[in-house]
Amino acid sequence: MEERLMSKKKPTYPIQSFLSSYLNDYNRLLKISVFYDDLLRFSGAISVLDANDNDTLWVSVYYNEFEHKDIDKSLKQVYTILHSDGNQDITEFLSIDAIDYCTFGNSKPFRIKIRNILNDNYTYFYVKQADASRVYGLELEHIFSPNRINFFVHENTLIEEHIVGIPGDTFIKDYLPDLSSQAKAQIAKEFVKFNERCQLRLLGDMRSYNYVIIPTHDFDHVEYKIRAIDFDQQCYEGKLKVYQPQFFKENNEMISMISDRLDLSSVHQYQKEERSILAKRMMNTHTRTARLLECMEKDSISTPENIKVLREDLFNFTFHSKFRKCETMGQILKTGFDFVTKNYVTHRKETGY
């Protein structure tokens, strides 16, 4: 029987004053005129279907005339703040084409489709409940992943940019079988790195629908990158396996591909590369990282039971005794980062590089 990795629904954790101060100092705390709760006042909804008429579990919502006018104006203003300097002169050229509401998962976000009426180019952004776990996840993604991410918070509302890519479950089902052997080997390498990155920074629940595959054409071939799109399960669960995408059945095709395409020495090489990159980024962003980890150490974003399980799992995984002394998820994450960075510096001194 398959091991059940996650069982209970994660609660929403409030943003404490010290995290608000951090967000303000790094331009993540901005005032807007619309809140998540405002969007909940929709008067009706219809199901959103995909190209094959399958239910996406999103619904397109609509509002009465009075609510619609204010919400439309406010969402256009949010877009200009997120993607520009907040100048409202361009709002007359913008159209809110759809407001979709997600009916499953923890955060139940709103997805806003906004279009430039002059050229029909469109993009999306999300309006979510401001949850401390998610905010920490987004900041850690911005600092430690190969990607940058744009978001901001206002009171109980989180505005988050859309991350472009092919959803992992769709890619595995519709694209992966037809790829060349070389492309599959490259994706296998990227998944190893992605798996290591999630484990190092304790980003959980990376099932195939919580990340995207991003193909990029480079001369005579296509490069593939894997990028997380859901940061709800940052430093919450107790089991270490939750932070290792390899253990979710939704990723079995990826794991099989790694077994077929990569030998063990290559896997170890790619894991070491990712640990080295994290150590370099931590040293290069020391002030910001230290400030963020200081907030996480003081914050309560999990349960005592989960903390106890995770620190023991990490001790058994690394034999690093300091994990057993951790009392918060922030302390666990900082101990892990310090462990990786110390090993990286020690190895450089030993090799003379």
Side-chain angles (χ1 to χ4, degrees), residues 289-345:
T289 299
R291 179 88 180 276
L292 181 64
L293 292 176
E294 182 182 354
C295 291
M296 294 188 74
E297 287 183 88
K298 293 188 289 186
D299 217 337
S300 175
I301 53 174
S302 188
T303 65
E305 294 78 15
N306 286 350
I307 293 168
K308 183 177 179 180
V309 170
L310 184 58
R311 70 190 184 193
E312 193 63 24
D313 276 2
L314 283 166
F315 169 75
N316 293 332
F317 186 68
T318 63
F319 302 108
H320 187 50
S321 60
K322 288 188 178 181
F323 280 115
R324 283 183 159 170
K325 300 177 183 178
C326 296
E327 296 181 355
T328 67
M329 280 293 183
Q331 290 176 1
I332 291 176
L333 185 64
K334 183 179 185 301
T335 299
F337 282 177
D338 290 345
F339 179 71
V340 170
T341 304
K342 182 178 179 180
N343 286 344
Y344 170 76
V345 172

Side-chain angles (χ1 to χ4, degrees), residues 87 189 252 283-284 306 309 344:
N87 190 317
K189 178 190 81 170
N252 284 348
M283 290 186 291
N284 290 336
N306 286 350
V309 170
Y344 170 76

Side-chain angles (χ1 to χ4, degrees), residues 76-126:
K76 290 176 183 178
Q77 292 173 343
V78 168
Y79 172 82
T80 65
I81 295 170
L82 185 66
H83 290 288
S84 185
D85 59 359
N87 190 317
Q88 302 302 304
D89 293 343
I90 66 170
T91 56
E92 63 179 302
F93 305 117
L94 300 176
S95 171
I96 304 297
D97 281 7
I99 302 175
D100 299 332
Y101 178 62
C102 184
T103 58
F104 70 98
N106 281 332
S107 59
K108 291 186 167 53
F110 286 92
R111 179 178 62 197
I112 315 301
K113 181 180 180 181
I114 187 163
R115 177 173 56 91
N116 186 313
I117 62 176
L118 298 178
N119 51 39
D120 280 340
N121 285 326
Y122 65 88
T123 187
Y124 298 91
F125 66 87
Y126 296 87

Side-chain angles (χ1 to χ4, degrees), residues 180-230:
S180 68
S181 177
Q182 181 183 11
K184 288 181 177 179
Q186 200 258 322
I187 293 173
K189 178 190 81 170
E190 288 302 317
F191 193 85
V192 170
K193 287 173 159 285
F194 178 68
N195 190 83
E196 190 71 10
R197 192 157 62 243
C198 292
Q199 174 184 285
L200 289 171
R201 44 168 286 204
L202 298 181
L203 176 60
D205 193 21
M206 280 300 109
R207 285 173 279 191
S208 56
Y209 48 78
N210 285 332
Y211 59 82
V212 294
I213 312 294
I214 305 173
T216 304
H217 290 266
D218 183 26
F219 293 107
D220 58 348
H221 70 289
V222 179
E223 288 284 324
Y224 296 90
K225 299 295 182 183
I226 303 177
R227 184 173 180 183
I229 59 172
D230 192 332

